[in-house]
Coordinates of all heavy atoms in Angstrom, one line a residue:
A1 N -55.6 -59.9 19.1 CA -55.0 -59.7 20.4 C -56.1 -59.5 21.4 O -57.3 -59.2 21.1 CB -54.2 -58.4 20.4
E2 N -55.8 -59.8 22.7 CA -56.8 -59.8 23.7 C -57.6 -58.5 23.8 O -58.8 -58.5 24.1 CB -56.1 -60.1 25.0 CG -57.0 -60.4 26.2 CD -57.9 -61.6 26.0 OE1 -57.6 -62.4 25.2 OE2 -59.0 -61.7 26.7
E3 N -56.8 -57.3 23.6 CA -57.5 -56.1 23.8 C -58.4 -55.7 22.6 O -59.1 -54.7 22.7 CB -56.5 -54.9 24.1 CG -55.6 -54.6 22.9 CD -54.3 -55.5 22.9 OE1 -54.3 -56.5 23.5 OE2 -53.4 -55.1 22.1
T4 N -58.4 -56.5 21.6 CA -59.2 -56.2 20.4 C -60.3 -57.3 20.1 O -60.9 -57.3 19.1 CB -58.4 -56.0 19.2 OG1 -57.7 -57.2 18.9 CG2 -57.5 -54.8 19.3
W5 N -60.6 -58.1 21.1 CA -61.5 -59.2 20.8 C -62.9 -58.6 20.6 O -63.7 -59.2 19.9 CB -61.5 -60.2 21.9 CG -62.3 -59.8 23.2 CD1 -61.8 -59.1 24.2 CD2 -63.7 -60.0 23.4 NE1 -62.8 -58.9 25.1 CE2 -64.0 -59.4 24.7 CE3 -64.7 -60.7 22.7 CZ2 -65.2 -59.5 25.2 CZ3 -66.0 -60.8 23.3 CH2 -66.2 -60.1 24.5
L6 N -63.2 -57.4 21.1 CA -64.5 -56.8 21.0 C -64.3 -55.4 20.5 O -64.4 -54.4 21.2 CB -65.2 -56.8 22.3 CG -66.6 -56.2 22.4 CD1 -67.5 -57.0 21.4 CD2 -67.2 -56.3 23.8
P7 N -64.0 -55.2 19.2 CA -63.7 -53.9 18.6 C -64.9 -53.0 18.5 O -64.7 -51.8 18.6 CB -63.1 -54.2 17.2 CG -63.7 -55.5 16.9 CD -63.8 -56.3 18.2
S8 N -66.1 -53.6 18.4 CA -67.3 -52.8 18.3 C -68.5 -53.5 18.7 O -68.5 -54.8 18.6 CB -67.4 -52.4 16.8 OG -68.6 -51.7 16.6
L9 N -69.5 -52.8 19.1 CA -70.8 -53.4 19.4 C -71.7 -53.4 18.2 O -72.8 -53.9 18.2 CB -71.5 -52.7 20.6 CG -70.9 -52.9 22.0 CD1 -71.6 -52.1 23.0 CD2 -70.8 -54.4 22.4
M10 N -71.3 -52.7 17.2 CA -72.1 -52.6 16.0 C -72.1 -53.8 15.1 O -71.1 -54.4 14.9 CB -71.6 -51.4 15.1 CG -71.4 -50.1 15.9 SD -72.8 -49.6 16.8 CE -73.9 -49.0 15.5
T11 N -73.3 -54.2 14.7 CA -73.4 -55.4 13.8 C -74.4 -55.0 12.7 O -75.2 -54.1 12.8 CB -74.0 -56.6 14.5 OG1 -75.3 -56.4 15.0 CG2 -73.1 -57.0 15.7
E12 N -74.3 -55.8 11.6 CA -75.1 -55.5 10.4 C -76.6 -55.9 10.6 O -77.4 -55.2 10.1 CB -74.5 -56.2 9.2 CG -73.2 -55.7 8.6 CD -73.4 -54.3 8.1 OE1 -74.5 -54.0 7.4 OE2 -72.5 -53.4 8.3
T13 N -76.8 -57.0 11.3 CA -78.1 -57.5 11.5 C -78.4 -57.9 12.9 O -77.5 -58.1 13.7 CB -78.3 -58.8 10.6 OG1 -77.4 -59.8 11.1 CG2 -77.9 -58.5 9.1
P14 N -79.7 -58.0 13.3 CA -80.0 -58.5 14.6 C -79.5 -59.9 14.9 O -79.0 -60.2 16.0 CB -81.5 -58.5 14.6 CG -81.9 -57.5 13.6 CD -80.9 -57.6 12.5
A15 N -79.5 -60.8 13.9 CA -78.9 -62.1 14.1 C -77.5 -62.1 14.4 O -77.0 -62.9 15.3 CB -79.2 -63.0 12.8
E16 N -76.7 -61.2 13.8 CA -75.3 -61.1 14.1 C -75.1 -60.5 15.5 O -74.2 -60.8 16.2 CB -74.6 -60.2 13.1 CG -74.4 -60.9 11.7 CD -73.7 -60.0 10.7 OE1 -73.2 -58.9 11.1 OE2 -73.8 -60.3 9.5
G17 N -76.1 -59.6 15.9 CA -76.1 -59.0 17.2 C -76.3 -60.1 18.3 O -75.7 -60.1 19.3
F18 N -77.2 -61.0 18.0 CA -77.4 -62.1 18.9 C -76.2 -63.0 19.0 O -75.8 -63.4 20.2 CB -78.6 -63.0 18.4 CG -78.9 -64.1 19.4 CD1 -79.8 -63.9 20.4 CD2 -78.4 -65.4 19.1 CE1 -80.1 -64.9 21.4 CE2 -78.7 -66.4 20.0 CZ -79.6 -66.2 21.1
D19 N -75.5 -63.3 17.9 CA -74.3 -64.1 18.0 C -73.2 -63.4 18.8 O -72.5 -64.0 19.6 CB -73.7 -64.3 16.6 CG -74.6 -65.3 15.8 OD1 -75.4 -66.0 16.4 OD2 -74.4 -65.3 14.5
L20 N -73.2 -62.1 18.7 CA -72.2 -61.3 19.5 C -72.6 -61.4 21.0 O -71.7 -61.5 21.8 CB -72.2 -59.8 19.1 CG -71.4 -58.8 19.9 CD1 -69.9 -59.3 19.9 CD2 -71.5 -57.4 19.3
A21 N -73.9 -61.3 21.3 CA -74.3 -61.5 22.7 C -73.9 -62.8 23.3 O -73.4 -62.9 24.4 CB -75.8 -61.3 22.8
V22 N -74.0 -63.9 22.5 CA -73.6 -65.2 23.0 C -72.1 -65.2 23.2 O -71.6 -65.7 24.2 CB -74.0 -66.3 21.9 CG1 -73.3 -67.6 22.3 CG2 -75.5 -66.4 21.8
S23 N -71.3 -64.6 22.3 CA -69.9 -64.5 22.5 C -69.5 -63.7 23.7 O -68.6 -64.1 24.4 CB -69.2 -63.8 21.2 OG -69.4 -64.6 20.1
M24 N -70.2 -62.6 24.0 CA -69.9 -61.8 25.2 C -70.2 -62.7 26.5 O -69.4 -62.6 27.4 CB -70.7 -60.5 25.2 CG -70.3 -59.6 24.1 SD -71.5 -58.2 23.8 CE -71.1 -57.2 25.2
A25 N -71.3 -63.4 26.5 CA -71.6 -64.2 27.6 C -70.6 -65.3 27.8 O -70.2 -65.5 29.0 CB -73.0 -64.8 27.4
R26 N -70.2 -65.9 26.8 CA -69.2 -67.0 26.9 C -67.8 -66.4 27.3 O -67.1 -67.0 28.1 CB -69.0 -67.7 25.5 CG -70.2 -68.4 25.1 CD -70.0 -69.3 23.8 NE -69.3 -70.5 24.2 CZ -68.8 -71.4 23.3 NH1 -69.0 -71.1 22.0 NH2 -68.2 -72.5 23.6
K27 N -67.5 -65.2 26.8 CA -66.3 -64.6 27.2 C -66.2 -64.3 28.7 O -65.1 -64.4 29.3 CB -66.1 -63.3 26.4 CG -64.8 -62.5 26.6 CD -63.6 -63.3 26.0 CE -62.4 -62.4 26.1 NZ -61.2 -63.1 25.6
A28 N -67.3 -63.9 29.3 CA -67.4 -63.7 30.7 C -67.0 -64.9 31.5 O -66.3 -64.9 32.5 CB -68.7 -63.1 31.1
V29 N -67.5 -66.1 31.0 CA -67.2 -67.3 31.6 C -65.8 -67.7 31.5 O -65.1 -68.0 32.5 CB -68.1 -68.5 31.0 CG1 -67.7 -69.8 31.6 CG2 -69.6 -68.2 31.4
T30 N -65.2 -67.6 30.3 CA -63.8 -68.0 30.1 C -62.8 -67.0 30.7 O -61.7 -67.3 31.1 CB -63.5 -68.2 28.6 OG1 -63.8 -67.0 27.9 CG2 -64.3 -69.3 28.1
T31 N -63.3 -65.7 30.9 CA -62.5 -64.8 31.6 C -62.4 -65.1 33.1 O -61.4 -64.9 33.8 CB -63.0 -63.3 31.4 OG1 -63.0 -63.0 30.0 CG2 -62.2 -62.3 32.2
T32 N -63.6 -65.6 33.6 CA -63.7 -65.9 35.0 C -62.9 -67.2 35.4 O -62.2 -67.3 36.4 CB -65.2 -66.1 35.4 OG1 -65.8 -64.9 35.1 CG2 -65.3 -66.3 36.9
Q33 N -63.1 -68.2 34.5 CA -62.4 -69.5 34.7 C -61.5 -69.7 33.5 O -62.0 -70.1 32.5 CB -63.4 -70.6 34.9 CG -62.9 -72.0 34.9 CD -61.8 -72.2 36.0 OE1 -60.6 -72.0 35.7 NE2 -62.2 -72.6 37.2
T34 N -60.2 -69.5 33.7 CA -59.3 -69.6 32.6 C -58.7 -71.0 32.4 O -58.0 -71.3 31.4 CB -58.1 -68.7 32.8 OG1 -57.5 -69.0 34.1 CG2 -58.6 -67.2 32.8
D35 N -59.1 -71.9 33.3 CA -58.6 -73.3 33.2 C -59.5 -74.1 32.2 O -60.7 -74.4 32.5 CB -58.6 -74.0 34.6 CG -58.1 -75.4 34.5 OD1 -58.1 -76.0 33.4 OD2 -57.7 -75.9 35.6
I36 N -59.1 -74.3 31.0 CA -59.9 -75.0 29.9 C -60.3 -76.3 30.4 O -61.5 -76.7 30.1 CB -59.1 -75.1 28.6 CG1 -58.7 -73.7 28.1 CG2 -59.9 -75.8 27.5 CD1 -59.9 -72.7 27.9
D37 N -59.5 -77.1 31.1 CA -59.9 -78.4 31.6 C -61.1 -78.3 32.5 O -62.0 -79.1 32.5 CB -58.7 -79.1 32.2 CG -57.6 -79.5 31.2 OD1 -57.9 -79.6 30.0 OD2 -56.5 -79.7 31.6
A38 N -61.0 -77.3 33.4 CA -62.1 -77.1 34.3 C -63.4 -76.8 33.6 O -64.5 -77.3 33.9 CB -61.8 -76.0 35.3
L39 N -63.3 -75.9 32.5 CA -64.5 -75.6 31.7 C -65.1 -76.8 31.1 O -66.3 -77.0 31.1 CB -64.1 -74.6 30.7 CG -63.8 -73.2 31.2 CD1 -63.2 -72.3 30.0 CD2 -65.0 -72.5 31.7
H40 N -64.3 -77.7 30.5 CA -64.8 -78.9 29.9 C -65.3 -79.9 30.9 O -66.3 -80.6 30.6 CB -63.7 -79.5 29.0 CG -63.6 -78.8 27.7 ND1 -64.3 -79.2 26.6 CD2 -62.8 -77.8 27.3 CE1 -64.0 -78.4 25.6 NE2 -63.1 -77.5 26.0
A41 N -64.7 -79.9 32.1 CA -65.2 -80.8 33.1 C -66.6 -80.4 33.6 O -67.4 -81.3 33.9 CB -64.2 -80.9 34.3
L42 N -66.8 -79.1 33.7 CA -68.1 -78.6 34.2 C -69.2 -78.4 33.2 O -70.3 -78.3 33.5 CB -67.9 -77.2 34.9 CG -67.0 -77.3 36.1 CD1 -66.6 -75.8 36.5 CD2 -67.7 -78.0 37.3
R43 N -68.8 -78.5 31.9 CA -69.7 -78.3 30.8 C -71.0 -79.2 30.9 O -72.1 -78.7 30.7 CB -69.0 -78.5 29.5 CG -69.9 -78.9 28.3 CD -70.6 -77.7 27.8 NE -71.2 -78.0 26.4 CZ -72.1 -77.3 25.8 NH1 -72.5 -76.2 26.3 NH2 -72.6 -77.7 24.6
P44 N -70.8 -80.5 31.2 CA -72.0 -81.4 31.2 C -73.0 -81.0 32.3 O -74.2 -81.2 32.1 CB -71.4 -82.8 31.5 CG -70.0 -82.7 31.0 CD -69.5 -81.3 31.3
N45 N -72.5 -80.4 33.3 CA -73.4 -80.0 34.4 C -74.5 -79.0 33.9 O -75.7 -79.2 34.2 CB -72.7 -79.3 35.6 CG -71.8 -80.3 36.3 OD1 -71.6 -81.4 36.0 ND2 -71.1 -79.8 37.4
Y46 N -74.1 -78.0 33.2 CA -75.1 -77.1 32.7 C -75.8 -77.5 31.4 O -76.9 -77.3 31.2 CB -74.5 -75.6 32.6 CG -73.9 -75.2 31.2 CD1 -74.7 -74.8 30.2 CD2 -72.6 -75.3 31.0 CE1 -74.2 -74.4 29.0 CE2 -72.0 -74.9 29.8 CZ -72.8 -74.4 28.8 OH -72.3 -74.0 27.6
A47 N -75.0 -78.3 30.6 CA -75.6 -78.7 29.3 C -76.8 -79.7 29.5 O -77.6 -79.8 28.7 CB -74.5 -79.4 28.5
H48 N -76.8 -80.3 30.7 CA -77.9 -81.3 30.9 C -78.8 -80.9 32.0 O -79.7 -81.7 32.5 CB -77.3 -82.7 31.3 CG -76.4 -83.3 30.2 ND1 -75.0 -83.4 30.3 CD2 -76.7 -83.7 28.9 CE1 -74.6 -83.9 29.1 NE2 -75.6 -84.1 28.3
D49 N -78.8 -79.6 32.3 CA -79.6 -79.1 33.4 C -80.5 -78.0 32.8 O -80.1 -76.9 32.4 CB -78.8 -78.5 34.5 CG -79.7 -77.8 35.6 OD1 -80.8 -78.3 35.8 OD2 -79.3 -76.8 36.2
P50 N -81.8 -78.3 32.7 CA -82.7 -77.3 32.0 C -82.7 -75.9 32.7 O -82.7 -74.9 32.0 CB -84.1 -77.9 32.2 CG -83.9 -79.4 32.3 CD -82.5 -79.5 33.0
Q51 N -82.7 -75.8 34.0 CA -82.7 -74.5 34.6 C -81.4 -73.8 34.3 O -81.4 -72.6 34.1 CB -82.8 -74.7 36.2 CG -83.0 -73.3 36.9 CD -84.2 -72.6 36.4 OE1 -85.3 -73.1 36.4 NE2 -84.0 -71.4 35.8
S52 N -80.3 -74.5 34.2 CA -79.0 -73.8 33.8 C -79.1 -73.3 32.4 O -78.7 -72.1 32.1 CB -77.8 -74.8 33.9 OG -77.5 -75.1 35.2
L53 N -79.8 -74.0 31.5 CA -79.9 -73.5 30.1 C -80.9 -72.3 30.1 O -80.6 -71.4 29.3 CB -80.5 -74.7 29.3 CG -79.5 -75.9 29.1 CD1 -80.1 -77.0 28.4 CD2 -78.2 -75.4 28.4
I54 N -81.9 -72.3 30.9 CA -82.7 -71.1 31.0 C -81.9 -69.9 31.5 O -82.0 -68.8 31.0 CB -84.0 -71.4 31.9 CG1 -84.9 -72.4 31.2 CG2 -84.7 -70.1 32.1 CD1 -86.0 -73.0 32.1
D55 N -81.1 -70.2 32.5 CA -80.2 -69.1 33.0 C -79.3 -68.6 32.0 O -79.1 -67.4 31.8 CB -79.4 -69.6 34.2 CG -80.2 -69.9 35.4 OD1 -81.4 -69.5 35.5 OD2 -79.7 -70.6 36.3
V56 N -78.7 -69.5 31.2 CA -77.8 -69.1 30.1 C -78.6 -68.2 29.1 O -78.1 -67.1 28.7 CB -77.3 -70.3 29.3 CG1 -76.7 -69.9 28.0 CG2 -76.2 -71.0 30.2
S57 N -79.8 -68.6 28.8 CA -80.6 -67.8 27.9 C -80.8 -66.4 28.4 O -80.8 -65.4 27.7 CB -82.0 -68.5 27.7 OG -82.8 -67.7 26.8
G58 N -81.1 -66.3 29.7 CA -81.3 -65.0 30.3 C -80.1 -64.1 30.3 O -80.2 -62.9 30.0
V59 N -78.9 -64.7 30.5 CA -77.6 -63.9 30.4 C -77.4 -63.4 29.0 O -77.1 -62.2 28.8 CB -76.4 -64.8 30.8 CG1 -75.1 -64.0 30.6 CG2 -76.6 -65.1 32.3
V60 N -77.7 -64.2 28.0 CA -77.6 -63.8 26.6 C -78.6 -62.7 26.3 O -78.3 -61.7 25.6 CB -77.7 -65.0 25.7 CG1 -77.8 -64.5 24.2 CG2 -76.6 -66.0 25.8
A61 N -79.8 -62.8 26.9 CA -80.8 -61.8 26.6 C -80.4 -60.4 27.2 O -80.6 -59.4 26.5 CB -82.1 -62.2 27.3
D62 N -79.7 -60.4 28.3 CA -79.2 -59.2 28.9 C -78.1 -58.5 27.9 O -78.2 -57.3 27.7 CB -78.6 -59.4 30.3 CG -79.6 -59.5 31.3 OD1 -80.8 -59.2 31.1 OD2 -79.3 -60.0 32.4
Y63 N -77.2 -59.4 27.5 CA -76.2 -58.8 26.5 C -76.8 -58.4 25.3 O -76.5 -57.3 24.7 CB -75.1 -59.9 26.2 CG -74.1 -60.0 27.3 CD1 -74.0 -61.2 28.1 CD2 -73.1 -59.1 27.6 CE1 -73.1 -61.4 29.1 CE2 -72.2 -59.2 28.5 CZ -72.1 -60.4 29.3 OH -71.2 -60.5 30.3
F64 N -77.8 -59.1 24.8 CA -78.5 -58.8 23.5 C -79.2 -57.4 23.7 O -79.2 -56.6 22.7 CB -79.5 -59.8 23.1 CG -80.1 -59.5 21.7 CD1 -79.4 -59.7 20.6 CD2 -81.4 -59.0 21.7 CE1 -80.0 -59.4 19.3 CE2 -82.0 -58.7 20.5 CZ -81.3 -58.9 19.3
A65 N -79.7 -57.1 24.8 CA -80.4 -55.8 25.0 C -79.4 -54.7 24.9 O -79.7 -53.6 24.3 CB -81.1 -55.8 26.4
T66 N -78.2 -54.9 25.4 CA -77.2 -53.9 25.2 C -76.7 -53.7 23.8 O -76.6 -52.6 23.3 CB -75.9 -54.2 26.1 OG1 -76.4 -54.3 27.5 CG2 -74.8 -53.2 26.0
V67 N -76.5 -54.8 23.1 CA -76.1 -54.8 21.7 C -77.2 -54.1 20.9 O -76.9 -53.3 20.0 CB -75.7 -56.2 21.2 CG1 -75.5 -56.2 19.7 CG2 -74.5 -56.8 21.9
A68 N -78.4 -54.5 21.1 CA -79.5 -53.9 20.3 C -79.6 -52.4 20.5 O -79.8 -51.7 19.6 CB -80.8 -54.6 20.7
A69 N -79.5 -52.0 21.8 CA -79.5 -50.5 22.0 C -78.3 -49.8 21.3 O -78.5 -48.8 20.7 CB -79.4 -50.3 23.5
A70 N -77.2 -50.4 21.4 CA -76.0 -49.8 20.7 C -76.2 -49.7 19.2 O -75.7 -48.8 18.6 CB -74.7 -50.7 21.0
N71 N -77.0 -50.6 18.6 CA -77.3 -50.6 17.2 C -78.6 -49.8 16.9 O -79.1 -50.0 15.8 CB -77.3 -52.0 16.7 CG -75.9 -52.6 16.5 OD1 -75.2 -52.4 15.5 ND2 -75.5 -53.3 17.6
D72 N -79.1 -49.1 17.8 CA -80.4 -48.4 17.7 C -81.5 -49.4 17.1 O -82.3 -49.0 16.3 CB -80.2 -47.2 16.8 CG -81.4 -46.2 16.9 OD1 -82.0 -46.2 17.9 OD2 -81.6 -45.5 15.9
Y73 N -81.4 -50.6 17.6 CA -82.4 -51.6 17.2 C -82.5 -51.9 15.7 O -83.5 -52.3 15.2 CB -83.8 -51.3 17.8 CG -83.7 -51.1 19.3 CD1 -83.5 -49.9 19.9 CD2 -83.7 -52.2 20.2 CE1 -83.3 -49.7 21.3 CE2 -83.5 -52.1 21.5 CZ -83.3 -50.9 22.1 OH -83.1 -50.7 23.4
W74 N -81.4 -51.6 15.0 CA -81.2 -51.9 13.6 C -82.3 -51.2 12.8 O -82.8 -51.7 11.8 CB -81.2 -53.4 13.3 CG -80.0 -54.0 13.9 CD1 -78.8 -54.1 13.4 CD2 -79.9 -54.7 15.2 NE1 -77.9 -54.7 14.3 CE2 -78.6 -55.1 15.4 CE3 -80.9 -55.0 16.2 CZ2 -78.2 -55.8 16.6 CZ3 -80.5 -55.6 17.4 CH2 -79.2 -56.1 17.5
R75 N -82.7 -50.0 13.3 CA -83.7 -49.2 12.5 C -83.0 -48.8 11.2 O -81.9 -48.5 11.2 CB -84.1 -48.0 13.3 CG -85.0 -48.3 14.5 CD -85.5 -47.0 15.2 NE -86.3 -47.2 16.3 CZ -85.8 -47.1 17.6 NH1 -84.5 -46.8 17.8 NH2 -86.6 -47.4 18.6
E76 N -83.8 -48.7 10.2 CA -83.3 -48.2 8.9 C -83.1 -46.7 9.0 O -83.8 -45.9 9.5 CB -84.3 -48.5 7.8 CG -84.4 -50.0 7.5 CD -83.1 -50.7 7.1 OE1 -82.3 -50.0 6.4 OE2 -82.8 -51.8 7.6
Ligands
HEM1 C1 -70.1 -74.7 24.6 C2 -72.8 -70.8 25.5 C3 -71.5 -71.0 30.1 C4 -68.4 -74.5 29.2 C5 -71.0 -73.7 24.5 C6 -71.8 -73.4 23.3 C7 -72.5 -72.3 23.5 C8 -72.2 -71.9 24.9 C9 -73.4 -71.6 22.5 C10 -71.8 -74.3 22.0 C11 -70.7 -73.8 21.1 C12 -70.7 -74.7 19.8 O1 -70.9 -75.9 19.9 O2 -70.3 -74.2 18.8 C13 -72.6 -70.5 26.8 C14 -73.2 -69.3 27.4 C15 -72.8 -69.4 28.8 C16 -72.0 -70.6 28.9 C17 -74.0 -68.3 26.7 C18 -73.1 -68.5 29.9 C19 -74.1 -67.5 29.9 C20 -70.6 -72.0 30.3 C21 -70.1 -72.5 31.5 C22 -69.2 -73.5 31.3 C23 -69.2 -73.6 29.8 C24 -70.5 -71.9 32.9 C25 -68.3 -74.3 32.2 C26 -68.3 -74.2 33.5 C27 -68.5 -74.8 27.8 C28 -67.7 -75.7 27.1 C29 -68.1 -75.8 25.8 C30 -69.3 -74.9 25.8 C31 -66.5 -76.5 27.7 C32 -67.6 -76.6 24.7 C33 -68.2 -78.0 24.6 C34 -67.6 -78.8 23.5 O3 -67.2 -78.2 22.5 O4 -67.7 -80.0 23.5 N1 -71.3 -72.8 25.4 N2 -71.9 -71.2 27.7 N3 -70.1 -72.8 29.3 N4 -69.5 -74.3 27.0 FE1 -70.7 -72.8 27.4

């Protein structure tokens, strides 16, 4: 259900935390633009633009910082 798409910020591993960060970044985009056709029409613009891809990386990095903090940096 929509209200449970993100039940927890906790992940077993840093790699899973990174995947979660990517999902959070993508979720922000699809929450903002709910027209799937529009998303697919605009996809090539960023997919073929290096600066856009660097921007995407930065957004994911911000989310990853939050996820990592929530997981106490996966310290043992
Ligand atoms: C696909 C990440 C922004 C539209 C993907 C994929 C990733 C990704 C990892 C590949 C998924 C896969 O092949 O399994 C992100 C992140 C974003 C972002 C982290 C922002 C920080 C956007 C924006 C748009 C968009 C702004 C459209 C305006 C799409 C679409 C696909 C896609 C339509 C599917 C392409 C296909 O399956 O052929 N995105 N994206 N994304 N993205 Fe983004």
Side-chain angles (χ1 to χ4, degrees):
E2 188 64 19
E3 67 272 16
T4 59
W5 78 273
L6 183 58
S8 173
L9 291 178
M10 310 305 287
T11 66
E12 288 295 319
T13 66
E16 287 176 17
F18 183 84
D19 291 343
L20 176 59
V22 172
S23 295
M24 292 167 77
R26 297 187 76 186
K27 183 70 171 176
V29 171
T30 56
T31 298
T32 305
Q33 173 54 271
T34 55
D35 183 341
I36 299 299
D37 291 337
L39 290 170
H40 279 274
L42 294 170
R43 157 76 167 170
N45 291 5
Y46 91 84
H48 298 111
D49 175 36
Q51 188 58 58
S52 290
L53 294 172
I54 292 169
D55 291 344
V56 165
S57 177
V59 172
V60 171
D62 282 346
Y63 281 110
F64 183 74
T66 298
V67 172
N71 286 274
D72 197 24
Y73 304 95
W74 296 276
R75 291 187 181 96
E76 291 302 322

